[in-house]
Amino acid sequence: MDLRELYQDIILDHARSPRNFGALSEPSHLAHGHNPLCGDKLTVFMKIDDDHITKVSFEGRGCAISTASASLMTQILTGKSVAQADAVFAAFHARVTTGAAVEVASDLEDATERLEPLTGVRTYPARVKCATLAWHTVDAAVKGGVLGTTIKTE
Ligand code: ZN
């Protein structure tokens, strides 16, 4: 199996059985995200304690890329600090839009490696919004707080 097939399998696995799918009962932060270009819609729920992300979940409907990205994201961000989440998103965003490999702190290398399967979308600009929707939504949740904000990528 070549790398491309392996990446495809990882994306399909997460798209078919998304991890941490469903609302959190008492989120401290949440936000809604919408990617009108593709029709992806999701809500991100978070529990943030003292700048540490103790729980992240999502629900919604979207294409395989947006669902797989959200699923991987919930796994990666659980247990991270808000600053670490920002750093992982910045590196992923650069990688997925420009192809550049961004250096991250050694304790975040594992996180950026786990996102590699999604970085193939950079050759399909329309899909970049799908891959980054969940991350933009988490960013909005962290900044918007418990009342929730709605973001629309364009
Ligand atoms: Zn999509």
Side-chain angles (χ1 to χ4, degrees):
M1 187 186 284
D2 68 17
L3 200 57
R4 185 183 288 237
E5 283 174 66
L6 174 69
Y7 283 176
Q8 190 70 21
D9 277 1
I10 291 170
I11 289 168
L12 288 178
D13 175 48
H14 279 268
R16 285 182 191 135
S17 331
R19 317 306 198 267
N20 302 302
F21 191 83
L24 287 185
S25 57
E26 286 176 10
S28 63
H29 296 68
L30 71 86
H32 310 284
H34 181 206
N35 170 19
L37 215 59
C38 176
D40 311 312
K41 273 188 175 173
L42 54 83
T43 301
V44 162
F45 305 85
M46 306 176 79
K47 277 192 187 177
I48 303 177
D49 226 349
D50 226 9
D51 269 344
H52 268 80
I53 301 166
T54 57
K55 279 187 183 166
V56 199
S57 74
F58 78 104
E59 58 181 21
R61 299 181 65 156
C63 66
I65 297 284
S66 70
T67 305
S69 178
S71 174
L72 277 162
M73 180 192 75
T74 62
Q75 290 191 314
I76 287 168
L77 294 189
T78 302
K80 297 273 191 299
S81 69
V82 169
Q84 285 177 318
D86 281 349
V88 173
F89 180 32
F92 176 56
H93 194 266
R95 181 102 175 102
V96 89
T97 52
T98 70
V102 179
E103 278 214 34
V104 290
S106 57
D107 58 344
L108 297 179
E109 280 171 8
D110 186 52
T112 53
E113 251 165 54
R114 293 191 60 193
L115 292 168
E116 274 301 299
L118 292 163
T119 60
V121 299
R122 70 179 170 275
T123 43
Y124 311 95
R127 309 316 298 276
V128 170
K129 309 274 186 211
C130 303
T132 56
L133 178 65
W135 295 83
H136 282 296
T137 309
V138 154
D139 193 44
V142 169
K143 289 173 181 146
V146 70
L147 293 177
T149 40
T150 301
I151 62 136
K152 212 178 232 198
T153 60
E154 296 188 17

